[in-house]
Amino acid sequence: MSPDTADALRLDIIGAGPAFTDRSGATGAAYLVRHGSTAILLDLGQGSFPRLAGLLDPGTLDAVLISHLHPDHFIDLVALRHFLRWGPSAPRRVRVVAPAGLGERIDALHAEPAFSAAALDFEELQPGQLRIGSIATEVAAVTHAARSFGFRLSTPGVPGLVYTGDCGRAADLDALIRPGDVLLSEVSFGPGPVPADAAHLDGPAVGSLAARTGVGRVLLTHLLMGFDEDQTVASVRAAYDGPLSLVHPGDAFTLD
Ligand SMILES: [Zn+2]
Ligand SMILES: [Zn+2]
């Protein structure tokens, strides 16, 4: 193993689906990033908890970062909470860094005021820097729902990972991306165009973002039902000539 590989972030695609889909086996947004003994989960959308639990003990996560308060990015926190409260080695707790108000939303769903606080330690997500274990995390506001964020996770000397969350304005991400980074980008509307009343990205927007920021690799995700995968990749390829693929649950990458 080269020193670079030892330092590199490891990315597991737990779920790559959008809010709804007809793709069998697709589950909501969830991406596991690991470095050494540090494990960070980016989002935890519908149906993704089982695949997460098949890869590691969810009680050992250093943190879950939630990009915004749409359920396709957080609803399986309910399963995580139950696991921590009643599963093996219970009771345990996990740190959840999320836009303000998430705990109250989950509590309201259960009509139980302390439901989430029984196992989840919420912290308010804000633009700026976070350090979680050995991984440095930079947080930037993006245009989507109220209080939506993108992330850059990195360790020294190797490419970082930039995750767009859901994003309606690609330029919001420019300042987060360093040349050579891996860009994990939503591409909800495939080859495009994005409807005027939808705050999401399409392939041409991702392609031009990737080209102008000099990313080393593009991983596409969150493709809506009805859009063709090959046409979507081609619409990014028109502007970006580096390594490029659409990710699926079970895919794993070493970001070196
Ligand atoms: Zn979404
Ligand atoms: Zn959203």
Side-chain angles (χ1 to χ4, degrees):
M1 184 184 287
S2 72
D4 275 359
T5 301
D7 290 337
L9 297 174
R10 290 172 291 135
L11 169 66
D12 285 288
I13 308 300
I14 310 291
F20 64 95
T21 182
D22 59 353
R23 293 183 177 90
S24 181
T27 59
Y31 310 95
L32 178 64
V33 182
R34 288 184 280 186
H35 175 254
S37 62
T38 301
I40 299 176
L41 186 67
L42 303 176
D43 287 336
L44 188 51
Q46 73 275 9
S48 281
F49 181 82
R51 194 174 282 112
L52 172 69
L55 266 184
L56 92 171
D57 174 355
T60 65
L61 286 168
D62 290 275
V64 182
L65 306 185
I66 300 295
S67 62
H68 65 290
L69 299 188
H70 283 160
D72 58 315
H73 296 256
F74 75 74
I75 199 64
D76 266 23
L77 284 173
V78 173
L80 176 63
R81 182 271 187 204
H82 285 309
F83 168 84
L84 295 169
R85 182 70 185 81
W86 304 111
S89 306
R92 291 187 289 175
R93 308 189 65 79
V94 163
R95 178 183 180 192
V96 179
V97 190
L102 178 56
E104 290 81 356
R105 289 191 188 207
I106 295 173
D107 291 353
L109 189 63
H110 293 80
E112 188 181 328
F115 175 84
S116 22
L120 305 176
D121 292 318
F122 285 101
E123 286 171 40
E124 184 175 349
L125 184 61
Q126 293 180 319
Q129 312 280 340
L130 280 171
R131 176 161 284 281
I132 301 166
S134 59
I135 300 177
T137 302
E138 199 174 331
V139 182
V142 299
T143 305
H144 181 63
R147 301 189 306 277
S148 296
F149 299 93
F151 305 107
R152 180 178 191 266
L153 275 58
S154 64
T155 54
V158 289
L161 172 70
V162 172
Y163 170 50
T164 62
D166 285 355
C167 178
R169 185 174 172 273
D172 294 342
L173 299 157
D174 284 52
L176 209 51
I177 299 171
R178 314 285 188 278
D181 279 354
V182 175
L183 175 63
L184 174 62
S185 180
E186 72 123 312
V187 66
S188 293
F189 285 87
V194 178
D197 57 349
H200 281 286
L201 298 176
D202 60 13
V206 176
S208 82
L209 171 68
R212 72 173 175 265
T213 55
V215 301
R217 176 173 204 163
V218 175
L219 302 174
L220 301 171
T221 189
H222 208 272
L223 179 65
L224 282 173
M225 176 178 168
F227 289 104
D228 181 79
E229 296 192 358
D230 292 339
Q231 287 176 12
T232 299
V233 170
S235 73
V236 179
R237 173 67 70 211
Y240 175 73
D241 60 7
L244 167 66
S245 56
L246 191 93
V247 300
H248 298 92
D251 289 351
F253 304 91
T254 299
L255 308 187
D256 56 4

